[in-house]
Amino acid sequence: YDWYFEHTSRFDVAKQAFDRIDIPVHVVTGNHDYRTGVLPQSFTHDLIAAKWEVEPYYSIEHKGHLFVVLNCQIGPTYNETYVHTGSFGQEQLQWFANELERGLPTFVFMHYPLFLVSQDEGALTMPGLIQQHRQQIRMVVTGHLHHWWDFSDSVWPNNLTIAATRFDGRNHLLVEADPSATEATIVNHDDICWQGMLYRNSEADENCLPAIP
């Protein structure tokens, strides 16, 4: 643990980069922030708290919307057997349920796409909560796949997976949201290489597949 404060690590490099952005930045932890089967979860939680001043999962209310950041590395799948399957644990799921009961239009952020998280963790499940509050949840933004995917037409409501941002400086979602509206709008939807890694019209435009309608 002390090594991370005696040397410059990727946590520091990322923090320095984000500090140059003149907008608030809120981080979501992923599988590469943990050493599954080697170090306890608390190691990463303590390190993230010290470096980024955030809890393992948290929420932010802003202009009538609720932004919920969840952690897929806390539940029973945190072991070497299920490296690419996320889970949350009943304590976090109950916290999430309580946040949803606030009734605000909600954006949810987590690392694993919904089809890669545990479907049955006990009394509360992530699929159950998402489906129960699908009218309230405007968008579920996930990562891990390193590609842009839009799963909105599947069983998962408004689940988007974003590509790894290192490939293109414009690789981002621009979302317009109004608390009185029933949906949020992705302003740059047609610019994104859905099913690809890059932003449309980039140098690697030939790698982009047709946008999903």
Side-chain angles (χ1 to χ4, degrees), residues 90-138:
Q90 288 298 298
E91 181 177 341
Q92 181 178 191
L93 289 170
Q94 183 61 64
W95 174 86
F96 182 39
N98 294 341
E99 291 293 300
L100 291 171
E101 289 300 324
R102 297 169 62 179
L104 295 173
T106 302
F107 290 80
V108 180
F109 301 86
M110 66 181 77
H111 182 71
Y112 284 113
L114 289 171
F115 68 87
L116 286 179
V117 303
S118 178
Q119 306 297 294
D120 184 8
E121 291 195 52
L124 292 173
T125 67
M126 183 56 63
L129 290 172
I130 294 291
Q131 294 292 356
Q132 179 183 349
H133 297 273
R134 63 182 301 144
Q135 300 303 319
Q136 172 185 347
I137 295 174
R138 299 292 185 262

Short mmCIF file of all heavy atoms in Angstrom, two decimals, residues 90-138:
data_model
loop_
_atom_site.label_atom_id
_atom_site.label_comp_id
_atom_site.label_asym_id
_atom_site.label_seq_id
_atom_site.Cartn_x
_atom_site.Cartn_y
_atom_site.Cartn_z
N GLN A 90 -25.59 -7.87 -1.25
CA GLN A 90 -26.89 -7.40 -0.79
C GLN A 90 -26.83 -6.02 -0.14
O GLN A 90 -27.77 -5.23 -0.28
CB GLN A 90 -27.49 -8.41 0.20
CG GLN A 90 -27.97 -9.69 -0.45
CD GLN A 90 -29.10 -9.44 -1.45
OE1 GLN A 90 -30.16 -8.95 -1.09
NE2 GLN A 90 -28.87 -9.77 -2.72
N GLU A 91 -25.75 -5.70 0.53
CA GLU A 91 -25.65 -4.39 1.17
C GLU A 91 -25.68 -3.26 0.13
O GLU A 91 -26.41 -2.27 0.28
CB GLU A 91 -24.38 -4.30 2.01
CG GLU A 91 -24.23 -2.96 2.74
CD GLU A 91 -22.99 -2.90 3.62
OE1 GLU A 91 -22.44 -3.98 3.96
OE2 GLU A 91 -22.57 -1.78 3.97
N GLN A 92 -24.90 -3.42 -0.94
CA GLN A 92 -24.89 -2.39 -1.99
C GLN A 92 -26.22 -2.37 -2.74
O GLN A 92 -26.73 -1.29 -3.07
CB GLN A 92 -23.75 -2.65 -2.97
CG GLN A 92 -23.67 -1.62 -4.08
CD GLN A 92 -22.53 -1.83 -5.04
OE1 GLN A 92 -22.22 -0.97 -5.86
NE2 GLN A 92 -21.86 -2.97 -4.98
N LEU A 93 -26.80 -3.53 -3.00
CA LEU A 93 -28.07 -3.58 -3.71
C LEU A 93 -29.18 -2.92 -2.90
O LEU A 93 -30.05 -2.23 -3.46
CB LEU A 93 -28.44 -5.04 -4.02
CG LEU A 93 -27.59 -5.71 -5.11
CD1 LEU A 93 -27.88 -7.20 -5.16
CD2 LEU A 93 -27.84 -5.06 -6.47
N GLN A 94 -29.16 -3.10 -1.57
CA GLN A 94 -30.16 -2.44 -0.74
C GLN A 94 -29.94 -0.93 -0.75
O GLN A 94 -30.91 -0.15 -0.80
CB GLN A 94 -30.09 -2.96 0.70
CG GLN A 94 -31.14 -2.37 1.63
CD GLN A 94 -32.55 -2.69 1.18
OE1 GLN A 94 -32.96 -3.85 1.15
NE2 GLN A 94 -33.31 -1.65 0.81
N TRP A 95 -28.70 -0.52 -0.73
CA TRP A 95 -28.40 0.92 -0.83
C TRP A 95 -28.91 1.48 -2.15
O TRP A 95 -29.53 2.56 -2.19
CB TRP A 95 -26.89 1.13 -0.70
CG TRP A 95 -26.46 2.54 -0.94
CD1 TRP A 95 -26.40 3.56 -0.03
CD2 TRP A 95 -26.04 3.11 -2.19
NE1 TRP A 95 -25.96 4.72 -0.63
CE2 TRP A 95 -25.74 4.47 -1.95
CE3 TRP A 95 -25.88 2.59 -3.48
CZ2 TRP A 95 -25.29 5.33 -2.95
CZ3 TRP A 95 -25.44 3.45 -4.48
CH2 TRP A 95 -25.15 4.79 -4.22
N PHE A 96 -28.69 0.75 -3.24
CA PHE A 96 -29.16 1.17 -4.55
C PHE A 96 -30.69 1.27 -4.57
O PHE A 96 -31.26 2.24 -5.10
CB PHE A 96 -28.66 0.20 -5.61
CG PHE A 96 -29.04 0.54 -7.02
CD1 PHE A 96 -29.04 1.86 -7.47
CD2 PHE A 96 -29.39 -0.46 -7.92
CE1 PHE A 96 -29.38 2.17 -8.79
CE2 PHE A 96 -29.74 -0.16 -9.22
CZ PHE A 96 -29.74 1.15 -9.65
N ALA A 97 -31.35 0.28 -3.99
CA ALA A 97 -32.81 0.30 -3.91
C ALA A 97 -33.29 1.53 -3.16
O ALA A 97 -34.27 2.18 -3.56
CB ALA A 97 -33.32 -0.98 -3.25
N ASN A 98 -32.63 1.87 -2.08
CA ASN A 98 -33.00 3.05 -1.31
C ASN A 98 -32.81 4.33 -2.12
O ASN A 98 -33.61 5.27 -2.03
CB ASN A 98 -32.19 3.13 -0.02
CG ASN A 98 -32.51 2.00 0.94
OD1 ASN A 98 -33.56 1.35 0.85
ND2 ASN A 98 -31.60 1.74 1.88
N GLU A 99 -31.73 4.39 -2.89
CA GLU A 99 -31.49 5.56 -3.74
C GLU A 99 -32.60 5.70 -4.79
O GLU A 99 -33.08 6.81 -5.06
CB GLU A 99 -30.13 5.44 -4.43
CG GLU A 99 -28.93 5.57 -3.50
CD GLU A 99 -28.81 6.97 -2.92
OE1 GLU A 99 -28.68 7.92 -3.71
OE2 GLU A 99 -28.88 7.11 -1.69
N LEU A 100 -33.02 4.59 -5.38
CA LEU A 100 -34.06 4.62 -6.38
C LEU A 100 -35.40 5.06 -5.80
O LEU A 100 -36.22 5.67 -6.49
CB LEU A 100 -34.20 3.25 -7.05
CG LEU A 100 -33.03 2.83 -7.95
CD1 LEU A 100 -33.18 1.38 -8.36
CD2 LEU A 100 -32.94 3.73 -9.18
N GLU A 101 -35.61 4.74 -4.54
CA GLU A 101 -36.86 5.14 -3.89
C GLU A 101 -36.99 6.65 -3.76
O GLU A 101 -38.08 7.16 -3.47
CB GLU A 101 -36.96 4.48 -2.51
CG GLU A 101 -37.22 2.99 -2.54
CD GLU A 101 -38.52 2.63 -3.25
OE1 GLU A 101 -39.50 3.40 -3.11
OE2 GLU A 101 -38.54 1.61 -3.96
N ARG A 102 -35.93 7.38 -4.00
CA ARG A 102 -36.01 8.84 -3.99
C ARG A 102 -36.85 9.36 -5.15
O ARG A 102 -37.30 10.50 -5.15
CB ARG A 102 -34.61 9.44 -4.02
CG ARG A 102 -33.77 9.07 -2.80
CD ARG A 102 -32.30 9.45 -2.96
NE ARG A 102 -32.11 10.88 -3.13
CZ ARG A 102 -30.92 11.45 -3.27
NH1 ARG A 102 -29.81 10.69 -3.27
NH2 ARG A 102 -30.81 12.76 -3.40
N GLY A 103 -37.03 8.52 -6.16
CA GLY A 103 -37.93 8.86 -7.26
C GLY A 103 -37.40 9.81 -8.30
O GLY A 103 -38.14 10.28 -9.16
N LEU A 104 -36.12 10.12 -8.26
CA LEU A 104 -35.53 11.05 -9.23
C LEU A 104 -35.18 10.33 -10.52
O LEU A 104 -34.84 9.15 -10.52
CB LEU A 104 -34.26 11.68 -8.65
CG LEU A 104 -34.44 12.58 -7.42
CD1 LEU A 104 -33.07 12.97 -6.86
CD2 LEU A 104 -35.25 13.82 -7.76
N PRO A 105 -35.26 11.02 -11.65
CA PRO A 105 -34.74 10.43 -12.89
C PRO A 105 -33.26 10.10 -12.70
O PRO A 105 -32.50 10.94 -12.22
CB PRO A 105 -34.97 11.51 -13.94
CG PRO A 105 -35.18 12.78 -13.18
CD PRO A 105 -35.76 12.39 -11.87
N THR A 106 -32.88 8.89 -13.05
CA THR A 106 -31.60 8.35 -12.61
C THR A 106 -30.73 7.87 -13.76
O THR A 106 -31.20 7.24 -14.70
CB THR A 106 -31.85 7.17 -11.63
OG1 THR A 106 -32.63 7.64 -10.52
CG2 THR A 106 -30.54 6.61 -11.11
N PHE A 107 -29.44 8.19 -13.66
CA PHE A 107 -28.41 7.63 -14.53
C PHE A 107 -27.56 6.69 -13.68
O PHE A 107 -27.12 7.07 -12.59
CB PHE A 107 -27.54 8.73 -15.12
CG PHE A 107 -28.23 9.59 -16.13
CD1 PHE A 107 -29.07 10.62 -15.74
CD2 PHE A 107 -28.05 9.36 -17.49
CE1 PHE A 107 -29.72 11.41 -16.67
CE2 PHE A 107 -28.69 10.15 -18.44
CZ PHE A 107 -29.53 11.17 -18.03
N VAL A 108 -27.31 5.49 -14.19
CA VAL A 108 -26.56 4.49 -13.44
C VAL A 108 -25.25 4.21 -14.18
O VAL A 108 -25.24 4.05 -15.40
CB VAL A 108 -27.36 3.19 -13.30
CG1 VAL A 108 -26.57 2.14 -12.52
CG2 VAL A 108 -28.69 3.46 -12.60
N PHE A 109 -24.16 4.14 -13.42
CA PHE A 109 -22.85 3.86 -13.99
C PHE A 109 -22.23 2.65 -13.27
O PHE A 109 -22.24 2.58 -12.05
CB PHE A 109 -21.92 5.07 -13.84
CG PHE A 109 -22.43 6.31 -14.51
CD1 PHE A 109 -23.31 7.16 -13.85
CD2 PHE A 109 -22.04 6.63 -15.80
CE1 PHE A 109 -23.80 8.31 -14.46
CE2 PHE A 109 -22.52 7.78 -16.43
CZ PHE A 109 -23.40 8.61 -15.76
N MET A 110 -21.72 1.71 -14.04
CA MET A 110 -21.02 0.55 -13.49
C MET A 110 -20.05 0.04 -14.55
O MET A 110 -20.17 0.38 -15.73
CB MET A 110 -22.01 -0.54 -13.08
CG MET A 110 -22.77 -1.16 -14.23
SD MET A 110 -23.97 -2.43 -13.71
CE MET A 110 -25.29 -1.39 -13.08
N HIS A 111 -19.10 -0.77 -14.14
CA HIS A 111 -18.07 -1.21 -15.09
C HIS A 111 -18.59 -2.29 -16.04
O HIS A 111 -18.45 -2.17 -17.25
CB HIS A 111 -16.84 -1.73 -14.33
CG HIS A 111 -15.74 -2.15 -15.25
ND1 HIS A 111 -14.99 -1.25 -15.98
CD2 HIS A 111 -15.27 -3.38 -15.59
CE1 HIS A 111 -14.09 -1.90 -16.71
NE2 HIS A 111 -14.25 -3.20 -16.50
N TYR A 112 -19.17 -3.35 -15.51
CA TYR A 112 -19.60 -4.48 -16.35
C TYR A 112 -20.94 -4.20 -17.01
O TYR A 112 -21.85 -3.66 -16.38
CB TYR A 112 -19.73 -5.75 -15.51
CG TYR A 112 -18.42 -6.40 -15.14
CD1 TYR A 112 -18.01 -6.44 -13.81
CD2 TYR A 112 -17.61 -6.98 -16.10
CE1 TYR A 112 -16.82 -7.04 -13.46
CE2 TYR A 112 -16.41 -7.59 -15.75
CZ TYR A 112 -16.02 -7.62 -14.43
OH TYR A 112 -14.84 -8.22 -14.08
N PRO A 113 -21.10 -4.58 -18.28
CA PRO A 113 -22.43 -4.53 -18.90
C PRO A 113 -23.41 -5.41 -18.12
O PRO A 113 -23.00 -6.36 -17.44
CB PRO A 113 -22.19 -5.09 -20.31
CG PRO A 113 -20.72 -4.93 -20.55
CD PRO A 113 -20.07 -5.08 -19.21
N LEU A 114 -24.67 -5.12 -18.25
CA LEU A 114 -25.67 -5.82 -17.44
C LEU A 114 -25.71 -7.32 -17.71
O LEU A 114 -26.04 -8.11 -16.82
CB LEU A 114 -27.04 -5.20 -17.68
CG LEU A 114 -27.23 -3.81 -17.08
CD1 LEU A 114 -28.54 -3.19 -17.55
CD2 LEU A 114 -27.19 -3.86 -15.56
N PHE A 115 -25.36 -7.75 -18.93
CA PHE A 115 -25.39 -9.19 -19.19
C PHE A 115 -24.19 -9.91 -18.59
O PHE A 115 -24.13 -11.15 -18.62
CB PHE A 115 -25.50 -9.47 -20.69
CG PHE A 115 -24.29 -9.10 -21.50
CD1 PHE A 115 -23.25 -9.99 -21.67
CD2 PHE A 115 -24.20 -7.86 -22.11
CE1 PHE A 115 -22.13 -9.65 -22.40
CE2 PHE A 115 -23.10 -7.51 -22.87
CZ PHE A 115 -22.06 -8.41 -23.02
N LEU A 116 -23.24 -9.16 -18.03
CA LEU A 116 -22.08 -9.78 -17.39
C LEU A 116 -22.10 -9.66 -15.87
O LEU A 116 -21.10 -9.95 -15.22
CB LEU A 116 -20.78 -9.16 -17.92
CG LEU A 116 -20.37 -9.56 -19.33
CD1 LEU A 116 -19.08 -8.85 -19.74
CD2 LEU A 116 -20.19 -11.07 -19.44
N VAL A 117 -23.23 -9.24 -15.30
CA VAL A 117 -23.34 -9.20 -13.85
C VAL A 117 -24.22 -10.35 -13.39
O VAL A 117 -25.05 -10.86 -14.13
CB VAL A 117 -23.89 -7.85 -13.33
CG1 VAL A 117 -23.01 -6.71 -13.80
CG2 VAL A 117 -25.34 -7.64 -13.77
N SER A 118 -24.02 -10.75 -12.14
CA SER A 118 -24.77 -11.87 -11.59
C SER A 118 -26.27 -11.62 -11.67
O SER A 118 -26.76 -10.55 -11.32
CB SER A 118 -24.36 -12.09 -10.13
OG SER A 118 -25.12 -13.14 -9.55
N GLN A 119 -27.00 -12.61 -12.14
CA GLN A 119 -28.44 -12.49 -12.30
C GLN A 119 -29.20 -12.88 -11.05
O GLN A 119 -30.41 -12.65 -10.95
CB GLN A 119 -28.91 -13.35 -13.48
CG GLN A 119 -28.18 -13.07 -14.78
CD GLN A 119 -28.38 -11.66 -15.30
OE1 GLN A 119 -29.48 -11.29 -15.67
NE2 GLN A 119 -27.32 -10.87 -15.33
N ASP A 120 -28.54 -13.49 -10.10
CA ASP A 120 -29.23 -13.96 -8.89
C ASP A 120 -28.27 -13.90 -7.70
O ASP A 120 -27.43 -14.77 -7.52
CB ASP A 120 -29.75 -15.38 -9.08
CG ASP A 120 -30.56 -15.86 -7.89
OD1 ASP A 120 -30.85 -15.04 -6.99
OD2 ASP A 120 -30.92 -17.05 -7.85
N GLU A 121 -28.41 -12.85 -6.91
CA GLU A 121 -27.57 -12.70 -5.71
C GLU A 121 -28.35 -12.90 -4.42
O GLU A 121 -27.82 -12.72 -3.34
CB GLU A 121 -26.93 -11.30 -5.70
CG GLU A 121 -25.89 -11.10 -6.79
CD GLU A 121 -25.03 -9.88 -6.50
OE1 GLU A 121 -24.48 -9.78 -5.39
OE2 GLU A 121 -24.93 -9.02 -7.40
N GLY A 122 -29.64 -13.23 -4.54
CA GLY A 122 -30.43 -13.41 -3.33
C GLY A 122 -31.70 -12.59 -3.38
O GLY A 122 -32.35 -12.47 -4.42
N ALA A 123 -32.06 -12.01 -2.24
CA ALA A 123 -33.33 -11.28 -2.13
C ALA A 123 -33.42 -10.14 -3.13
O ALA A 123 -34.46 -9.90 -3.74
CB ALA A 123 -33.50 -10.76 -0.70
N LEU A 124 -32.34 -9.40 -3.29
CA LEU A 124 -32.29 -8.30 -4.26
C LEU A 124 -31.31 -8.66 -5.37
O LEU A 124 -30.25 -9.23 -5.12
CB LEU A 124 -31.85 -7.00 -3.59
CG LEU A 124 -32.81 -6.37 -2.58
CD1 LEU A 124 -32.14 -5.19 -1.88
CD2 LEU A 124 -34.10 -5.92 -3.27
N THR A 125 -31.67 -8.31 -6.60
CA THR A 125 -30.79 -8.56 -7.73
C THR A 125 -30.71 -7.29 -8.57
O THR A 125 -31.65 -6.48 -8.59
CB THR A 125 -31.31 -9.70 -8.63
OG1 THR A 125 -32.54 -9.29 -9.26
CG2 THR A 125 -31.54 -10.97 -7.81
N MET A 126 -29.62 -7.12 -9.27
CA MET A 126 -29.49 -5.97 -10.15
C MET A 126 -30.52 -6.01 -11.28
O MET A 126 -31.19 -5.00 -11.55
CB MET A 126 -28.06 -5.88 -10.71
CG MET A 126 -27.82 -4.66 -11.58
SD MET A 126 -28.22 -3.08 -10.76
CE MET A 126 -27.02 -3.12 -9.41
N PRO A 127 -30.71 -7.15 -11.98
CA PRO A 127 -31.75 -7.17 -13.01
C PRO A 127 -33.13 -6.81 -12.47
O PRO A 127 -33.88 -6.09 -13.12
CB PRO A 127 -31.72 -8.62 -13.52
CG PRO A 127 -30.33 -9.08 -13.22
CD PRO A 127 -29.97 -8.43 -11.92
N GLY A 128 -33.45 -7.31 -11.28
CA GLY A 128 -34.75 -7.01 -10.70
C GLY A 128 -34.95 -5.53 -10.42
O GLY A 128 -36.01 -4.96 -10.72
N LEU A 129 -33.93 -4.88 -9.87
CA LEU A 129 -34.03 -3.45 -9.57
C LEU A 129 -34.10 -2.61 -10.84
O LEU A 129 -34.85 -1.64 -10.92
CB LEU A 129 -32.84 -3.02 -8.71
CG LEU A 129 -32.82 -3.54 -7.28
CD1 LEU A 129 -31.49 -3.21 -6.60
CD2 LEU A 129 -33.99 -2.95 -6.48
N ILE A 130 -33.31 -3.00 -11.85
CA ILE A 130 -33.33 -2.26 -13.11
C ILE A 130 -34.71 -2.37 -13.77
O ILE A 130 -35.27 -1.38 -14.24
CB ILE A 130 -32.24 -2.80 -14.07
CG1 ILE A 130 -30.84 -2.52 -13.51
CG2 ILE A 130 -32.40 -2.19 -15.46
CD1 ILE A 130 -30.44 -1.08 -13.48
N GLN A 131 -35.25 -3.57 -13.79
CA GLN A 131 -36.57 -3.75 -14.41
C GLN A 131 -37.66 -3.06 -13.62
O GLN A 131 -38.58 -2.46 -14.19
CB GLN A 131 -36.87 -5.25 -14.55
CG GLN A 131 -35.96 -6.00 -15.50
CD GLN A 131 -36.15 -5.60 -16.96
OE1 GLN A 131 -37.01 -4.79 -17.28
NE2 GLN A 131 -35.32 -6.14 -17.84
N GLN A 132 -37.59 -3.13 -12.30
CA GLN A 132 -38.61 -2.51 -11.46
C GLN A 132 -38.67 -1.01 -11.64
O GLN A 132 -39.74 -0.40 -11.59
CB GLN A 132 -38.34 -2.85 -9.98
CG GLN A 132 -39.33 -2.24 -9.01
CD GLN A 132 -38.97 -2.54 -7.57
OE1 GLN A 132 -38.09 -3.36 -7.27
NE2 GLN A 132 -39.65 -1.87 -6.65
N HIS A 133 -37.51 -0.41 -11.89
CA HIS A 133 -37.43 1.06 -12.00
C HIS A 133 -37.08 1.50 -13.41
O HIS A 133 -36.52 2.58 -13.60
CB HIS A 133 -36.41 1.59 -11.00
CG HIS A 133 -36.75 1.34 -9.57
ND1 HIS A 133 -37.54 2.19 -8.83
CD2 HIS A 133 -36.43 0.30 -8.74
CE1 HIS A 133 -37.68 1.72 -7.60
NE2 HIS A 133 -37.02 0.57 -7.53
N ARG A 134 -37.41 0.71 -14.41
CA ARG A 134 -36.98 0.99 -15.78
C ARG A 134 -37.55 2.31 -16.30
O ARG A 134 -36.95 2.95 -17.16
CB ARG A 134 -37.33 -0.17 -16.70
CG ARG A 134 -38.81 -0.48 -16.85
CD ARG A 134 -39.02 -1.68 -17.75
NE ARG A 134 -38.44 -1.45 -19.06
CZ ARG A 134 -37.86 -2.40 -19.78
NH1 ARG A 134 -37.75 -3.63 -19.31
NH2 ARG A 134 -37.37 -2.13 -20.98
N GLN A 135 -38.70 2.75 -15.82
CA GLN A 135 -39.26 4.03 -16.26
C GLN A 135 -38.52 5.22 -15.66
O GLN A 135 -38.54 6.32 -16.21
CB GLN A 135 -40.75 4.09 -15.90
CG GLN A 135 -41.60 3.00 -16.52
CD GLN A 135 -41.51 2.98 -18.03
OE1 GLN A 135 -41.50 4.03 -18.68
NE2 GLN A 135 -41.45 1.79 -18.60
N GLN A 136 -37.90 4.97 -14.53
CA GLN A 136 -37.17 6.03 -13.82
C GLN A 136 -35.73 6.14 -14.29
O GLN A 136 -35.15 7.23 -14.30
CB GLN A 136 -37.22 5.73 -12.32
CG GLN A 136 -36.39 6.61 -11.43
CD GLN A 136 -36.43 6.13 -9.99
OE1 GLN A 136 -37.26 5.30 -9.61
NE2 GLN A 136 -35.53 6.63 -9.17
N ILE A 137 -35.14 5.00 -14.66
CA ILE A 137 -33.73 4.96 -15.05
C ILE A 137 -33.59 5.42 -16.49
O ILE A 137 -34.05 4.76 -17.42
CB ILE A 137 -33.15 3.55 -14.85
CG1 ILE A 137 -33.17 3.18 -13.37
CG2 ILE A 137 -31.73 3.47 -15.41
CD1 ILE A 137 -32.76 1.75 -13.08
N ARG A 138 -32.94 6.54 -16.68
CA ARG A 138 -32.78 7.11 -18.01
C ARG A 138 -31.72 6.39 -18.83
O ARG A 138 -31.81 6.28 -20.04
CB ARG A 138 -32.42 8.60 -17.91
CG ARG A 138 -33.47 9.45 -17.21
CD ARG A 138 -34.75 9.54 -18.04
NE ARG A 138 -35.72 10.45 -17.46
CZ ARG A 138 -36.75 10.06 -16.70
NH1 ARG A 138 -36.93 8.78 -16.45
NH2 ARG A 138 -37.59 10.95 -16.21
#
